């Protein structure tokens, strides 16, 4: 289902259609995308529930120094809403959040958002969903015909279990809850964690802090990505000829899907090429001892690939230090490593990530016949083709379990999944069914096929990452982007129970 580029989103429903009551949980890029799809189709009996005070999801919560997307801006936008105003090839978080909020406002999704509202529980009554909310200490229940989760995959910050962390006399900040009131000028700062977030912070902190210490547990492969600013002339040209922005989108999508996407799912030229580029980048570290500390012992892309052209130069500055000795404990003056050395500090930044793959959790859900989400996910999150769950009628997910989050742009994923979900919303509006949920055998078959295809992915080559569950099994999409889009073209009604 396409989206009207004329902006006329208030068109009337076709004669004979009924209008569903829809609740969308979450207003990150996936929730906003879903809201736009619904509003564009005329389904405006819509409420979006957001626990934060602003929309944007991860781009609202994350505001740490150096934050930027490692997917090109023109590929991280919605294909139906190309922007000619991106300032750089890889834009900062604030600019990205403003883009998504602007889309929400343009398509009249924004005024349907209820902020500072936490979903505590959702229960299927036999004919509709009853959703229990909490807002400002007050409880409320809403009812809907169709419930859609767009909660994302990285939501709840993960705090490290380090003895004495709460005794530190300075300031401790998690990167997903950054405190802008803290003045870093001239401070001695530690960064715990060397994933994408920790890497992005080193260079900007090195410019204002007197000392920056990066505590590394596991080295990362780093792919250099030169960040080019877009000139005003180019922006004006793109505004006049929107096809330019669309061409950027197609070009970047092809490059990422062919170079990185294929390398992730199968060994071959693309995986080898990424590995060689990362090794070449590592050679830019002149000090042999430092270079050895930064050299991983696993295949590039086994962990989420870090992308930066600033990290290695920043580590070689005189006020930056890389510490690979393990952390023993924290005391009021700073961090003590296992060799007994005290690293005196003013600020500790926790770039320690999230509780990955929680999706709707910790909210609880009860489906038909009393089945609970805890029951269904007792062995880990699973779903049907990334968008639905057996036993949970008229319930859908954007960015659900097994989504290809390690392979492609999240906006592209959200567009594909929301388009698929809209087919079922339309069928309900056309009175083709009252309830729909995927069959258990179809879900089991999909998960078995997925597991069998994990063997050739880079995630199984021997490293620990948040892509793996507690049993060491990857949870992401093990096929190409083309297969993902093709699989969700057909609703496969024969694999659903329809009443």
């Amino acid at each position: 289902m396409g989206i009207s580029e004329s902006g006329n989103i208030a068109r009337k429903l076709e004669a004979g259609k009924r209008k569903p009551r829809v609740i969308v949980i979450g207003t990150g890029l996936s929730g906003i995308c879903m809201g736009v799809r619904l509003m564009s189709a005329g389904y405006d009996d819509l409420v979006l529930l957001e626990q934060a005070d602003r929309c944007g999801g991860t781009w609202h919560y994350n505001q740490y120094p150096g934050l930027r997307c490692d997917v090109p801006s023109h590929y991280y936008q919605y294909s139906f809403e190309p922007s000619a105003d991106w300032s750089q090839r890889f834009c900062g978080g604030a600019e990205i959040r403003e883009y998504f909020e602007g889309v929400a406002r343009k398509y009249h999704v924004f005024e349907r958002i209820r902020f500072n509202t936490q979903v505590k529980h959702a229960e299927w009554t036999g004919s509709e969903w009853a959703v229990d909310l909490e807002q400002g200490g007050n409880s409320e229940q809403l009812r809907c015909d169709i419930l859609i989760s767009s909660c994302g995959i990285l939501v709840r910050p993960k705090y490290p279990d380090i003895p004495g962390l709460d005794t530190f006399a300075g300031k401790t900040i998690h990167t997903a809850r950054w405190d802008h009131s803290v003045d870093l000028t001239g401070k001695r700062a530690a960064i715990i964690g060397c994933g994408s977030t920790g890497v992005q912070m080193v260079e900007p902190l090195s410019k204002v802090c007197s000392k920056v210490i990066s505590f590394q547990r596991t080295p990362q492969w780093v792919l250099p990505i030169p960040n080019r600013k877009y000139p005003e002339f180019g922006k004006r040209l793109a505004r006049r000829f929107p096809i330019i922005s669309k061409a950027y989108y197609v070009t970047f999508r092809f490059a990422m899907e062919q170079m990185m996407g294929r390398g992730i799912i199968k060994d071959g030229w693309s995986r080898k090429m990424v590995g060689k580029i990362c090794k070449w980048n590592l050679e830019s570290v002149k000090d042999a001892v430092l270079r050895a500390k930064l050299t991983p012992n696993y295949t590039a892309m086994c962990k989420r690939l870090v992308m930066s052209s600033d990290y290695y130069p920043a580590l070689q500055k005189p006020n930056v230090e890389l510490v690979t000795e393990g952390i023993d404990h924290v005391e009021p003056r700073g961090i003590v490593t296992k060799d007994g050395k005290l690293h005196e500090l003013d600020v500790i930044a926790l770039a320690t990530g999230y509780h990955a793959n929680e999706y709707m959790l910790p909210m609880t859900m009860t489906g038909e016949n009393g089945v609970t989400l805890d029951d269904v996910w007792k062995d880990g999150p699973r779903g049907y083709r990334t968008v639905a769950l057996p036993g949970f009628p008229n319930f859908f997910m954007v960015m659900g379990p097994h989504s290809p989050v390690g392979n492609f742009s999240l906006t592209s994923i959200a567009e594909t999944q929301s388009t698929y979900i809209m087919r079922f919303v339309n069928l309900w509006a056309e009175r083709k069914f009252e309830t729909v949920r995927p069959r258990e055998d179809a879900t089991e078959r999909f998960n078995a096929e997925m597991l069998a295809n994990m063997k050739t992915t880079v995630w199984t080559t021997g490293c620990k990452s948040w892509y793996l569950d507690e049993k060491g099994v990857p949870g992401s999409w093990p096929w190409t982007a083309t297969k993902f889009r093709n699989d969700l073209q057909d609703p496969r009604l024969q694999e659903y129970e329809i009443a």
Side-chain angles (χ1 to χ4, degrees), residues 47-264:
V47 178
L48 297 96
L49 303 174
E50 173 56 57
Q51 64 180 353
D53 58 359
R54 297 183 75 180
C55 62
T58 189
W59 300 108
H60 163 67
Y61 284 114
N62 286 277
Q63 299 180 25
Y64 59 84
L67 170 66
R68 69 178 60 255
C69 187
D70 54 15
V71 175
S73 305
H74 285 97
Y75 183 35
Y76 202 72
Q77 65 187 354
Y78 299 127
S79 63
F80 57 80
E81 193 62 33
S83 173
D85 296 321
W86 296 115
S87 64
Q88 303 172 71
R89 181 178 291 153
F90 299 95
C91 284
E95 188 173 348
I96 294 169
R97 203 207 68 80
E98 289 301 322
Y99 167 80
F100 288 122
E101 181 173 317
V103 173
R105 290 183 183 277
K106 177 178 178 178
Y107 290 91
H108 300 281
V109 172
F110 189 84
E111 54 261 43
R112 286 167 172 78
I113 301 174
R114 291 182 56 172
F115 293 104
N116 301 305
T117 302
Q118 187 172 15
V119 179
K120 306 297 287 186
H121 180 70
E123 185 156 348
W124 177 251
T125 68
S127 60
E128 61 184 2
W129 282 98
V131 183
D132 295 328
L133 318 174
E134 190 173 282
Q135 183 178 29
N138 298 317
S139 298
E140 183 183 355
Q141 187 178 85
L142 299 180
R143 303 252 170 166
C144 65
D145 302 300
I146 297 172
L147 179 63
I148 302 171
S149 169
S150 299
C151 298
I153 55 170
L154 301 176
V155 179
R156 191 163 61 95
K158 187 174 185 179
Y159 289 83
D161 184 16
I162 301 175
L165 185 59
D166 58 348
T167 69
F168 180 53
K171 188 70 176 181
T172 302
I173 317 172
H174 196 286
T175 54
R177 299 293 186 269
W178 194 259
D179 185 350
H180 292 282
S181 68
V182 177
D183 183 7
L184 297 172
T185 305
K187 298 293 194 300
R188 299 163 299 177
I191 303 171
I192 299 178
C194 286
S196 293
T197 298
V199 165
Q200 287 183 343
M201 291 181 64
V202 173
E203 197 273 339
L205 261 60
S206 72
K207 292 181 177 180
V208 297
C209 296
S210 61
K211 179 74 174 180
V212 178
I213 304 176
S214 175
F215 287 87
Q216 173 187 281
R217 183 174 58 183
T218 306
Q220 305 280 346
W221 286 115
V222 181
L223 187 73
I225 50 168
N227 194 15
R228 185 173 74 89
K229 289 186 177 181
Y230 292 123
E232 286 302 320
F233 172 76
K235 295 179 190 177
R236 289 196 299 270
L237 202 62
R239 291 188 199 104
R240 186 173 181 181
F241 302 104
I243 189 66
I244 294 175
S245 291
K246 293 182 179 181
Y248 271 129
Y249 179 92
V250 173
T251 301
F252 284 127
R253 186 177 80 173
F254 178 83
M256 289 198 69
E257 291 182 359
Q258 294 303 314
M259 186 175 84
M260 296 186 60
R262 289 188 177 276
I264 287 172

Side-chain angles (χ1 to χ4, degrees), residues 400-467:
H402 326 308
S403 295
V405 296
N407 314 37
F408 322 119
S409 165
L410 298 188
T411 48
S412 178
I413 299 168
E415 286 190 52
T416 299
Q417 292 171 328
S418 60
T419 299
Y420 178 89
I421 292 168
M422 285 304 301
R423 291 189 172 91
F424 288 90
V425 176
N426 285 328
L427 289 171
W428 188 95
E430 294 165 0
R431 305 175 191 274
K432 298 295 178 64
F433 67 81
E434 294 298 324
T435 63
V436 62
R437 63 275 200 196
R439 286 168 28 197
E440 180 65 41
D441 64 324
T443 303
E444 289 294 337
R445 187 164 55 250
F446 165 71
N447 279 268
E449 291 172 358
M450 186 184 68
L451 185 61
N453 280 272
M454 287 294 181
K455 297 176 182 178
T456 62
T457 67
V458 71
W459 305 309
T460 63
T461 58
C463 71
K464 293 182 179 180
S465 76
W466 61 264
Y467 292 128

Side-chain angles (χ1 to χ4, degrees), residues 329-493:
H329 67 276
V330 176
E331 65 161 63
R333 292 177 295 169
I335 293 175
V336 179
T337 44
K338 292 186 182 298
D339 58 2
K341 182 178 180 180
L342 169 65
H343 303 268
E344 295 191 72
L345 300 163
D346 303 301
V347 178
I348 297 176
L350 304 176
T352 48
Y354 299 84
H355 293 274
N357 302 318
E358 287 191 332
Y359 305 100
M360 301 83 73
L361 301 174
M363 72 171 271
T364 56
M365 291 186 71
T366 302
E368 59 184 353
N369 301 320
V371 64
T372 68
L373 185 62
D374 287 341
D375 293 333
V376 175
W377 284 1
K378 64 180 183 297
D379 294 323
R382 69 183 188 110
Y384 171 79
R385 300 196 181 278
T386 76
V387 291
L389 281 174
F392 292 79
N394 296 8
F395 172 70
F396 298 96
M397 298 174 287
V398 186
M399 230 60 72
H402 326 308
S403 295
V405 296
N407 314 37
F408 322 119
S409 165
L410 298 188
T411 48
S412 178
I413 299 168
E415 286 190 52
T416 299
Q417 292 171 328
S418 60
T419 299
Y420 178 89
I421 292 168
M422 285 304 301
R423 291 189 172 91
F424 288 90
V425 176
N426 285 328
L427 289 171
W428 188 95
E430 294 165 0
R431 305 175 191 274
K432 298 295 178 64
F433 67 81
E434 294 298 324
T435 63
V436 62
R437 63 275 200 196
R439 286 168 28 197
E440 180 65 41
D441 64 324
T443 303
E444 289 294 337
R445 187 164 55 250
F446 165 71
N447 279 268
E449 291 172 358
M450 186 184 68
L451 185 61
N453 280 272
M454 287 294 181
K455 297 176 182 178
T456 62
T457 67
V458 71
W459 305 309
T460 63
T461 58
C463 71
K464 293 182 179 180
S465 76
W466 61 264
Y467 292 128
L468 308 179
D469 64 17
E470 293 179 355
K471 299 177 182 178
V473 178
S476 194
W477 184 263
W479 297 288
T480 65
T482 301
K483 177 173 170 56
F484 177 68
R485 288 189 288 269
N486 289 343
D487 272 17
L488 294 189
Q489 281 289 323
D490 181 2
R492 304 192 190 197
L493 296 180

